[in-house]
Amino acid sequence: MSDNNLVLEASGLHKSFKDLHAVKGVSFHIATGETYGLLGPNGAGKTTTISMVTGLLERDGGEVVVDGREISTTSTEAKRAIGYVPQDIAIYPDLTARENLSFFGRLYGMSAKPLRGRVDEVLDIIGLSDRADDRSEEFSGGMKRRLNIGIGLLHGPRLLMLDEPTVGVDPQSRNAILESVERLSVEGMAVLYTTHYMEEAERLCDRVGIIDEGEIKAEGTRAELVSMVGQRDKVRLSATGHLDAAVEAVRAIPGVHDASTREDGIDLLVDGADRALPSILQAVAAAETSVSSVAVDEPNLEAVFLHLTGKALRD
């Protein structure tokens, strides 16, 4: 990856609060159009890390460069490349969605005519166009969070940072938030996304840094991280017929490591179920066994986190 494509470079970040060493040498980078996830439980150091990256919190050590400029608590111009969406909702409840966006746009120094057009664009991105002129105090928690994201997007930042943006929202709003984030990366924005929800990291993130006790324990794509665990896909076939003969047939297929019968079908352990399934189903049919349903349980980031830390993600 060319350095010219990097929007964020964070290296060797450290932060202590009295006797607590909250962040211990955290390093990562994000390229244009990439969504990078910091995945870890509450208290892992995610918010402290993101606060140092934004320049809101003084770091004890390390360096942060955004869009080619070093970030510190005193830098002003360099921070224009950043859009920050904190965990706590920061909007004015007595203003409408449009008024909130217009107010913050003026704080960003945007002029009136371009701001009006940009407000309409952002309302569309966050799915609030139909509620643009309603006071935000009337909004659900999820709608308020979507408006919060819109404020971070207004000035067209190179890097958008979202700190646990779906905590405490209803499923419909959560899905709307995730769809908005997916759209941003497609449009070329670099996104830093912190979460303790494994399914969000798997859905949104091109690469994930697994963080625990202030350290990045591992980093990579979902496939790269899952390969560390060495787990295989579990395949469950609901089937009737000559089950024992079918088991013997599928055991000979490359990538099938185990196969056994149960009362209503067959259980298998497979490397790459998506590649092996056509051969498995063909072999089962040849053994005069009829399959009514197929379920595949793939290893996930929860398993990786357990493997790396010895505890479940939500412990």
Short mmCIF file of all heavy atoms in Angstrom, two decimals, residues 31-98:
data_model
loop_
_atom_site.label_atom_id
_atom_site.label_comp_id
_atom_site.label_asym_id
_atom_site.label_seq_id
_atom_site.Cartn_x
_atom_site.Cartn_y
_atom_site.Cartn_z
N ALA A 31 -6.28 3.62 5.17
CA ALA A 31 -6.12 4.17 3.83
C ALA A 31 -7.43 4.79 3.33
O ALA A 31 -8.51 4.59 3.92
CB ALA A 31 -5.67 3.07 2.87
N THR A 32 -7.33 5.52 2.26
CA THR A 32 -8.50 6.11 1.61
C THR A 32 -9.53 5.02 1.28
O THR A 32 -9.17 3.97 0.73
CB THR A 32 -8.08 6.82 0.31
OG1 THR A 32 -7.14 7.84 0.62
CG2 THR A 32 -9.28 7.43 -0.39
N GLY A 33 -10.78 5.24 1.61
CA GLY A 33 -11.84 4.29 1.29
C GLY A 33 -11.86 3.05 2.15
O GLY A 33 -12.64 2.13 1.89
N GLU A 34 -11.07 3.03 3.22
CA GLU A 34 -10.99 1.84 4.08
C GLU A 34 -11.72 2.10 5.40
O GLU A 34 -11.65 3.19 5.96
CB GLU A 34 -9.53 1.51 4.36
CG GLU A 34 -9.34 0.27 5.23
CD GLU A 34 -7.88 -0.04 5.51
OE1 GLU A 34 -7.06 0.90 5.58
OE2 GLU A 34 -7.55 -1.24 5.64
N THR A 35 -12.42 1.09 5.88
CA THR A 35 -13.00 1.13 7.21
C THR A 35 -12.20 0.21 8.12
O THR A 35 -12.07 -0.99 7.86
CB THR A 35 -14.47 0.68 7.20
OG1 THR A 35 -15.24 1.58 6.38
CG2 THR A 35 -15.06 0.70 8.60
N TYR A 36 -11.63 0.80 9.16
CA TYR A 36 -10.79 0.06 10.11
C TYR A 36 -11.53 -0.01 11.44
O TYR A 36 -11.99 1.00 11.96
CB TYR A 36 -9.45 0.77 10.29
CG TYR A 36 -8.48 0.05 11.20
CD1 TYR A 36 -7.52 -0.82 10.67
CD2 TYR A 36 -8.52 0.23 12.58
CE1 TYR A 36 -6.63 -1.47 11.50
CE2 TYR A 36 -7.63 -0.42 13.41
CZ TYR A 36 -6.69 -1.27 12.87
OH TYR A 36 -5.81 -1.93 13.70
N GLY A 37 -11.63 -1.21 11.99
CA GLY A 37 -12.34 -1.39 13.24
C GLY A 37 -11.42 -1.65 14.40
O GLY A 37 -10.48 -2.44 14.28
N LEU A 38 -11.67 -0.96 15.52
CA LEU A 38 -11.04 -1.32 16.79
C LEU A 38 -12.08 -2.12 17.57
O LEU A 38 -13.11 -1.57 18.01
CB LEU A 38 -10.64 -0.07 17.57
CG LEU A 38 -9.31 0.59 17.22
CD1 LEU A 38 -9.10 1.84 18.06
CD2 LEU A 38 -8.14 -0.37 17.40
N LEU A 39 -11.84 -3.41 17.71
CA LEU A 39 -12.80 -4.33 18.32
C LEU A 39 -12.28 -4.77 19.68
O LEU A 39 -11.19 -5.32 19.78
CB LEU A 39 -13.01 -5.55 17.42
CG LEU A 39 -13.89 -6.67 17.96
CD1 LEU A 39 -15.33 -6.20 18.11
CD2 LEU A 39 -13.81 -7.90 17.05
N GLY A 40 -13.07 -4.50 20.70
CA GLY A 40 -12.67 -4.92 22.04
C GLY A 40 -13.76 -4.61 23.04
O GLY A 40 -14.68 -3.83 22.76
N PRO A 41 -13.68 -5.20 24.24
CA PRO A 41 -14.72 -4.98 25.25
C PRO A 41 -14.63 -3.58 25.83
O PRO A 41 -13.66 -2.84 25.60
CB PRO A 41 -14.39 -6.04 26.31
CG PRO A 41 -12.90 -6.23 26.19
CD PRO A 41 -12.60 -6.08 24.73
N ASN A 42 -15.63 -3.21 26.61
CA ASN A 42 -15.59 -1.93 27.32
C ASN A 42 -14.37 -1.93 28.24
O ASN A 42 -14.09 -2.91 28.93
CB ASN A 42 -16.87 -1.72 28.14
CG ASN A 42 -18.09 -1.57 27.26
OD1 ASN A 42 -18.00 -1.06 26.15
ND2 ASN A 42 -19.24 -2.03 27.75
N GLY A 43 -13.65 -0.80 28.24
CA GLY A 43 -12.46 -0.70 29.08
C GLY A 43 -11.19 -1.19 28.42
O GLY A 43 -10.13 -1.22 29.05
N ALA A 44 -11.27 -1.55 27.13
CA ALA A 44 -10.09 -2.09 26.44
C ALA A 44 -9.10 -1.02 26.01
O ALA A 44 -7.95 -1.32 25.69
CB ALA A 44 -10.53 -2.90 25.21
N GLY A 45 -9.54 0.25 25.97
CA GLY A 45 -8.68 1.34 25.53
C GLY A 45 -9.11 1.97 24.23
O GLY A 45 -8.39 2.82 23.68
N LYS A 46 -10.30 1.61 23.72
CA LYS A 46 -10.75 2.12 22.42
C LYS A 46 -10.98 3.64 22.46
O LYS A 46 -10.49 4.36 21.59
CB LYS A 46 -12.04 1.40 21.99
CG LYS A 46 -11.92 -0.10 21.86
CD LYS A 46 -13.17 -0.72 21.25
CE LYS A 46 -14.43 -0.48 22.03
NZ LYS A 46 -14.41 -1.13 23.37
N THR A 47 -11.75 4.10 23.44
CA THR A 47 -12.07 5.53 23.49
C THR A 47 -10.83 6.36 23.80
O THR A 47 -10.65 7.45 23.24
CB THR A 47 -13.17 5.78 24.54
OG1 THR A 47 -14.37 5.11 24.13
CG2 THR A 47 -13.47 7.26 24.68
N THR A 48 -9.96 5.86 24.66
CA THR A 48 -8.71 6.58 24.94
C THR A 48 -7.87 6.71 23.68
O THR A 48 -7.32 7.77 23.38
CB THR A 48 -7.91 5.86 26.04
OG1 THR A 48 -8.71 5.77 27.23
CG2 THR A 48 -6.63 6.61 26.36
N THR A 49 -7.81 5.64 22.91
CA THR A 49 -7.04 5.66 21.66
C THR A 49 -7.64 6.67 20.69
O THR A 49 -6.93 7.51 20.12
CB THR A 49 -7.03 4.26 21.00
OG1 THR A 49 -6.35 3.35 21.88
CG2 THR A 49 -6.33 4.29 19.66
N ILE A 50 -8.95 6.62 20.49
CA ILE A 50 -9.58 7.51 19.52
C ILE A 50 -9.49 8.97 19.98
O ILE A 50 -9.38 9.89 19.16
CB ILE A 50 -11.05 7.07 19.27
CG1 ILE A 50 -11.51 7.49 17.88
CG2 ILE A 50 -11.99 7.60 20.30
CD1 ILE A 50 -12.85 6.90 17.47
N SER A 51 -9.48 9.20 21.29
CA SER A 51 -9.35 10.56 21.81
C SER A 51 -7.95 11.12 21.54
O SER A 51 -7.80 12.32 21.28
CB SER A 51 -9.64 10.59 23.31
OG SER A 51 -10.98 10.22 23.58
N MET A 52 -6.94 10.26 21.57
CA MET A 52 -5.59 10.72 21.23
C MET A 52 -5.47 10.97 19.73
O MET A 52 -4.81 11.92 19.30
CB MET A 52 -4.55 9.69 21.69
CG MET A 52 -4.36 9.66 23.19
SD MET A 52 -2.95 8.63 23.69
CE MET A 52 -3.62 6.98 23.41
N VAL A 53 -6.11 10.13 18.93
CA VAL A 53 -6.04 10.30 17.48
C VAL A 53 -6.71 11.61 17.05
O VAL A 53 -6.23 12.30 16.14
CB VAL A 53 -6.69 9.10 16.76
CG1 VAL A 53 -6.82 9.36 15.26
CG2 VAL A 53 -5.86 7.84 16.99
N THR A 54 -7.79 11.99 17.71
CA THR A 54 -8.47 13.24 17.36
C THR A 54 -7.76 14.47 17.90
O THR A 54 -8.08 15.60 17.52
CB THR A 54 -9.90 13.26 17.92
OG1 THR A 54 -9.85 13.07 19.34
CG2 THR A 54 -10.76 12.21 17.28
N GLY A 55 -6.81 14.27 18.80
CA GLY A 55 -6.15 15.41 19.42
C GLY A 55 -6.92 16.00 20.57
O GLY A 55 -6.62 17.10 21.04
N LEU A 56 -7.92 15.29 21.08
CA LEU A 56 -8.68 15.76 22.24
C LEU A 56 -7.98 15.41 23.55
O LEU A 56 -8.24 16.04 24.57
CB LEU A 56 -10.08 15.14 22.23
CG LEU A 56 -11.00 15.56 21.09
CD1 LEU A 56 -12.31 14.78 21.15
CD2 LEU A 56 -11.28 17.07 21.16
N LEU A 57 -7.11 14.41 23.52
CA LEU A 57 -6.43 13.94 24.72
C LEU A 57 -4.93 13.93 24.47
O LEU A 57 -4.46 13.41 23.46
CB LEU A 57 -6.93 12.53 25.07
CG LEU A 57 -6.32 11.87 26.30
CD1 LEU A 57 -6.72 12.62 27.57
CD2 LEU A 57 -6.78 10.40 26.39
N GLU A 58 -4.19 14.52 25.38
CA GLU A 58 -2.73 14.54 25.28
C GLU A 58 -2.19 13.13 25.42
O GLU A 58 -2.56 12.40 26.34
CB GLU A 58 -2.14 15.43 26.38
CG GLU A 58 -0.66 15.69 26.24
CD GLU A 58 -0.34 16.69 25.13
OE1 GLU A 58 -0.99 17.74 25.06
OE2 GLU A 58 0.56 16.38 24.33
N ARG A 59 -1.33 12.73 24.51
CA ARG A 59 -0.74 11.40 24.59
C ARG A 59 0.59 11.46 25.34
O ARG A 59 1.30 12.46 25.31
CB ARG A 59 -0.55 10.80 23.21
CG ARG A 59 0.23 11.66 22.23
CD ARG A 59 0.20 11.06 20.82
NE ARG A 59 0.98 11.85 19.87
CZ ARG A 59 0.48 12.83 19.12
NH1 ARG A 59 -0.80 13.13 19.22
NH2 ARG A 59 1.26 13.50 18.30
N ASP A 60 0.92 10.36 26.01
CA ASP A 60 2.19 10.27 26.72
C ASP A 60 3.33 9.91 25.78
O ASP A 60 4.49 10.19 26.07
CB ASP A 60 2.11 9.23 27.85
CG ASP A 60 1.09 9.62 28.91
OD1 ASP A 60 0.81 10.83 29.05
OD2 ASP A 60 0.57 8.72 29.59
N GLY A 61 3.01 9.28 24.68
CA GLY A 61 4.02 8.90 23.71
C GLY A 61 3.38 8.50 22.40
O GLY A 61 2.18 8.22 22.33
N GLY A 62 4.17 8.50 21.34
CA GLY A 62 3.68 8.11 20.04
C GLY A 62 3.41 9.29 19.14
O GLY A 62 3.63 10.45 19.50
N GLU A 63 2.90 8.98 17.94
CA GLU A 63 2.69 10.00 16.92
C GLU A 63 1.40 9.70 16.16
O GLU A 63 1.07 8.54 15.91
CB GLU A 63 3.87 10.02 15.95
CG GLU A 63 3.79 11.12 14.89
CD GLU A 63 4.99 11.11 13.96
OE1 GLU A 63 5.32 10.01 13.45
OE2 GLU A 63 5.59 12.17 13.75
N VAL A 64 0.69 10.77 15.78
CA VAL A 64 -0.52 10.66 14.97
C VAL A 64 -0.40 11.61 13.79
O VAL A 64 -0.16 12.81 13.98
CB VAL A 64 -1.79 10.99 15.77
CG1 VAL A 64 -3.02 10.94 14.85
CG2 VAL A 64 -1.96 10.04 16.94
N VAL A 65 -0.53 11.08 12.57
CA VAL A 65 -0.50 11.89 11.37
C VAL A 65 -1.79 11.65 10.60
O VAL A 65 -2.13 10.50 10.29
CB VAL A 65 0.72 11.55 10.49
CG1 VAL A 65 0.68 12.35 9.19
CG2 VAL A 65 2.01 11.83 11.24
N VAL A 66 -2.54 12.72 10.31
CA VAL A 66 -3.78 12.64 9.55
C VAL A 66 -3.64 13.51 8.31
O VAL A 66 -3.34 14.70 8.41
CB VAL A 66 -4.99 13.09 10.38
CG1 VAL A 66 -6.26 13.11 9.53
CG2 VAL A 66 -5.18 12.18 11.59
N ASP A 67 -3.85 12.89 7.15
CA ASP A 67 -3.77 13.60 5.87
C ASP A 67 -2.45 14.35 5.74
O ASP A 67 -2.39 15.48 5.25
CB ASP A 67 -4.95 14.58 5.75
CG ASP A 67 -5.21 15.00 4.31
OD1 ASP A 67 -4.83 14.26 3.40
OD2 ASP A 67 -5.81 16.08 4.12
N GLY A 68 -1.38 13.71 6.20
CA GLY A 68 -0.03 14.26 6.06
C GLY A 68 0.37 15.26 7.11
O GLY A 68 1.49 15.78 7.06
N ARG A 69 -0.47 15.54 8.11
CA ARG A 69 -0.15 16.51 9.14
C ARG A 69 -0.22 15.87 10.52
O ARG A 69 -1.14 15.09 10.81
CB ARG A 69 -1.12 17.70 9.09
CG ARG A 69 -1.07 18.48 7.79
CD ARG A 69 -2.04 19.63 7.84
NE ARG A 69 -1.99 20.43 6.61
CZ ARG A 69 -2.72 21.51 6.41
NH1 ARG A 69 -3.56 21.92 7.35
NH2 ARG A 69 -2.62 22.20 5.28
N GLU A 70 0.75 16.21 11.37
CA GLU A 70 0.75 15.66 12.71
C GLU A 70 -0.36 16.30 13.55
O GLU A 70 -0.61 17.50 13.47
CB GLU A 70 2.10 15.89 13.39
CG GLU A 70 2.20 15.21 14.75
CD GLU A 70 3.58 15.26 15.36
OE1 GLU A 70 4.51 15.77 14.69
OE2 GLU A 70 3.73 14.78 16.49
N ILE A 71 -1.02 15.46 14.34
CA ILE A 71 -2.11 15.89 15.20
C ILE A 71 -1.63 16.01 16.64
O ILE A 71 -0.94 15.11 17.15
CB ILE A 71 -3.28 14.90 15.14
CG1 ILE A 71 -3.90 14.85 13.74
CG2 ILE A 71 -4.36 15.24 16.18
CD1 ILE A 71 -4.67 16.07 13.35
N SER A 72 -1.99 17.09 17.28
CA SER A 72 -1.75 17.26 18.72
C SER A 72 -2.95 17.96 19.32
O SER A 72 -3.88 18.38 18.61
CB SER A 72 -0.48 18.06 18.96
OG SER A 72 -0.67 19.42 18.61
N THR A 73 -2.95 18.15 20.63
CA THR A 73 -4.07 18.83 21.27
C THR A 73 -4.12 20.31 20.89
O THR A 73 -5.17 20.95 21.00
CB THR A 73 -3.97 18.71 22.80
OG1 THR A 73 -2.69 19.18 23.23
CG2 THR A 73 -4.17 17.27 23.25
N THR A 74 -3.01 20.86 20.43
CA THR A 74 -2.97 22.29 20.09
C THR A 74 -3.11 22.57 18.60
O THR A 74 -3.29 23.71 18.19
CB THR A 74 -1.65 22.92 20.58
OG1 THR A 74 -0.55 22.23 19.99
CG2 THR A 74 -1.55 22.82 22.10
N SER A 75 -3.05 21.53 17.76
CA SER A 75 -3.15 21.74 16.32
C SER A 75 -4.59 22.09 15.96
O SER A 75 -5.53 21.56 16.53
CB SER A 75 -2.69 20.51 15.54
OG SER A 75 -3.46 19.38 15.89
N THR A 76 -4.75 23.01 15.03
CA THR A 76 -6.08 23.45 14.60
C THR A 76 -6.33 23.08 13.14
O THR A 76 -7.29 22.38 12.82
CB THR A 76 -6.24 24.96 14.78
OG1 THR A 76 -6.04 25.29 16.15
CG2 THR A 76 -7.63 25.41 14.36
N GLU A 77 -5.46 23.53 12.26
CA GLU A 77 -5.65 23.30 10.84
C GLU A 77 -5.68 21.81 10.51
O GLU A 77 -6.48 21.36 9.70
CB GLU A 77 -4.54 24.01 10.05
CG GLU A 77 -4.76 24.02 8.55
CD GLU A 77 -6.00 24.81 8.14
OE1 GLU A 77 -6.36 25.77 8.85
OE2 GLU A 77 -6.61 24.45 7.11
N ALA A 78 -4.81 21.03 11.15
CA ALA A 78 -4.73 19.60 10.86
C ALA A 78 -6.02 18.87 11.20
O ALA A 78 -6.38 17.88 10.57
CB ALA A 78 -3.56 18.98 11.62
N LYS A 79 -6.75 19.38 12.20
CA LYS A 79 -7.97 18.72 12.64
C LYS A 79 -9.13 18.90 11.67
O LYS A 79 -10.16 18.24 11.81
CB LYS A 79 -8.37 19.21 14.03
CG LYS A 79 -7.39 18.80 15.12
CD LYS A 79 -7.81 19.34 16.48
CE LYS A 79 -6.82 18.96 17.56
NZ LYS A 79 -7.19 19.52 18.88
N ARG A 80 -8.98 19.80 10.69
CA ARG A 80 -10.05 20.00 9.70
C ARG A 80 -10.29 18.75 8.87
O ARG A 80 -11.37 18.60 8.28
CB ARG A 80 -9.71 21.18 8.79
CG ARG A 80 -9.72 22.53 9.48
CD ARG A 80 -9.44 23.65 8.50
NE ARG A 80 -9.39 24.95 9.17
CZ ARG A 80 -10.45 25.69 9.44
NH1 ARG A 80 -11.66 25.27 9.07
NH2 ARG A 80 -10.33 26.85 10.04
N ALA A 81 -9.30 17.88 8.81
CA ALA A 81 -9.45 16.64 8.03
C ALA A 81 -10.22 15.57 8.78
O ALA A 81 -10.47 14.49 8.23
CB ALA A 81 -8.06 16.11 7.65
N ILE A 82 -10.59 15.85 10.04
CA ILE A 82 -11.22 14.85 10.90
C ILE A 82 -12.68 15.18 11.15
O ILE A 82 -13.05 16.32 11.41
CB ILE A 82 -10.49 14.76 12.26
CG1 ILE A 82 -9.05 14.31 12.07
CG2 ILE A 82 -11.22 13.83 13.22
CD1 ILE A 82 -8.23 14.37 13.34
N GLY A 83 -13.52 14.15 11.08
CA GLY A 83 -14.89 14.24 11.58
C GLY A 83 -14.99 13.27 12.75
O GLY A 83 -14.64 12.10 12.61
N TYR A 84 -15.46 13.74 13.89
CA TYR A 84 -15.48 12.92 15.11
C TYR A 84 -16.90 12.79 15.63
O TYR A 84 -17.60 13.78 15.83
CB TYR A 84 -14.57 13.55 16.17
CG TYR A 84 -14.57 12.83 17.51
CD1 TYR A 84 -14.39 11.45 17.57
CD2 TYR A 84 -14.75 13.54 18.70
CE1 TYR A 84 -14.39 10.79 18.79
CE2 TYR A 84 -14.74 12.89 19.93
CZ TYR A 84 -14.57 11.51 19.96
OH TYR A 84 -14.57 10.86 21.17
N VAL A 85 -17.31 11.54 15.84
CA VAL A 85 -18.64 11.26 16.39
C VAL A 85 -18.44 10.55 17.73
O VAL A 85 -18.10 9.37 17.77
CB VAL A 85 -19.47 10.39 15.43
CG1 VAL A 85 -20.87 10.14 16.01
CG2 VAL A 85 -19.57 11.04 14.06
N PRO A 86 -18.61 11.26 18.85
CA PRO A 86 -18.35 10.66 20.17
C PRO A 86 -19.45 9.72 20.61
O PRO A 86 -20.54 9.67 20.02
CB PRO A 86 -18.29 11.89 21.08
CG PRO A 86 -19.21 12.88 20.43
CD PRO A 86 -19.06 12.65 18.94
N GLN A 87 -19.17 8.97 21.68
CA GLN A 87 -20.18 8.09 22.25
C GLN A 87 -21.39 8.88 22.74
O GLN A 87 -22.54 8.48 22.54
CB GLN A 87 -19.60 7.29 23.41
CG GLN A 87 -18.73 6.12 23.01
CD GLN A 87 -18.39 5.23 24.19
OE1 GLN A 87 -19.22 5.02 25.07
NE2 GLN A 87 -17.18 4.72 24.21
N ASP A 88 -21.14 9.98 23.41
CA ASP A 88 -22.23 10.80 23.96
C ASP A 88 -22.81 11.68 22.86
O ASP A 88 -22.08 12.31 22.10
CB ASP A 88 -21.71 11.67 25.10
CG ASP A 88 -21.21 10.85 26.28
OD1 ASP A 88 -21.79 9.77 26.52
OD2 ASP A 88 -20.25 11.28 26.95
N ILE A 89 -24.13 11.70 22.78
CA ILE A 89 -24.81 12.49 21.76
C ILE A 89 -24.60 13.98 22.02
O ILE A 89 -24.82 14.47 23.14
CB ILE A 89 -26.30 12.15 21.73
CG1 ILE A 89 -26.48 10.70 21.27
CG2 ILE A 89 -27.08 13.09 20.82
CD1 ILE A 89 -27.89 10.17 21.38
N ALA A 90 -24.17 14.70 20.98
CA ALA A 90 -23.88 16.13 21.12
C ALA A 90 -24.68 16.91 20.08
O ALA A 90 -24.18 17.26 19.02
CB ALA A 90 -22.38 16.37 20.93
N ILE A 91 -25.95 17.13 20.39
CA ILE A 91 -26.82 17.94 19.52
C ILE A 91 -27.65 18.86 20.41
O ILE A 91 -27.71 18.69 21.63
CB ILE A 91 -27.77 17.06 18.67
CG1 ILE A 91 -28.65 16.18 19.56
CG2 ILE A 91 -26.97 16.19 17.70
CD1 ILE A 91 -29.67 15.35 18.82
N TYR A 92 -28.30 19.85 19.78
CA TYR A 92 -29.17 20.76 20.53
C TYR A 92 -30.62 20.29 20.38
O TYR A 92 -31.19 20.34 19.29
CB TYR A 92 -29.00 22.19 20.01
CG TYR A 92 -27.68 22.80 20.39
CD1 TYR A 92 -26.60 22.77 19.51
CD2 TYR A 92 -27.50 23.36 21.66
CE1 TYR A 92 -25.38 23.31 19.87
CE2 TYR A 92 -26.28 23.89 22.03
CZ TYR A 92 -25.22 23.88 21.13
OH TYR A 92 -24.00 24.41 21.50
N PRO A 93 -31.24 19.83 21.48
CA PRO A 93 -32.58 19.23 21.38
C PRO A 93 -33.67 20.19 20.94
O PRO A 93 -34.68 19.77 20.39
CB PRO A 93 -32.85 18.72 22.81
CG PRO A 93 -31.92 19.50 23.68
CD PRO A 93 -30.71 19.78 22.85
N ASP A 94 -33.49 21.52 21.19
CA ASP A 94 -34.53 22.47 20.82
C ASP A 94 -34.41 22.93 19.37
O ASP A 94 -35.23 23.74 18.91
CB ASP A 94 -34.52 23.67 21.76
CG ASP A 94 -33.16 24.35 21.82
OD1 ASP A 94 -32.15 23.68 21.54
OD2 ASP A 94 -33.10 25.55 22.16
N LEU A 95 -33.41 22.44 18.64
CA LEU A 95 -33.25 22.76 17.22
C LEU A 95 -33.71 21.58 16.37
O LEU A 95 -33.65 20.42 16.80
CB LEU A 95 -31.79 23.08 16.89
CG LEU A 95 -31.16 24.28 17.59
CD1 LEU A 95 -29.72 24.47 17.11
CD2 LEU A 95 -31.97 25.55 17.36
N THR A 96 -34.16 21.86 15.16
CA THR A 96 -34.52 20.79 14.22
C THR A 96 -33.24 20.13 13.71
O THR A 96 -32.12 20.62 13.93
CB THR A 96 -35.30 21.34 13.03
OG1 THR A 96 -34.43 22.18 12.25
CG2 THR A 96 -36.50 22.13 13.48
N ALA A 97 -33.41 19.02 13.00
CA ALA A 97 -32.25 18.35 12.41
C ALA A 97 -31.52 19.30 11.46
O ALA A 97 -30.29 19.42 11.49
CB ALA A 97 -32.70 17.09 11.67
N ARG A 98 -32.28 20.00 10.62
CA ARG A 98 -31.67 20.93 9.68
C ARG A 98 -30.95 22.07 10.41
O ARG A 98 -29.85 22.47 10.03
CB ARG A 98 -32.74 21.49 8.74
CG ARG A 98 -32.16 22.32 7.58
CD ARG A 98 -33.28 22.95 6.75
NE ARG A 98 -34.20 21.95 6.23
CZ ARG A 98 -33.96 21.21 5.15
NH1 ARG A 98 -32.83 21.36 4.48
NH2 ARG A 98 -34.86 20.33 4.74
#
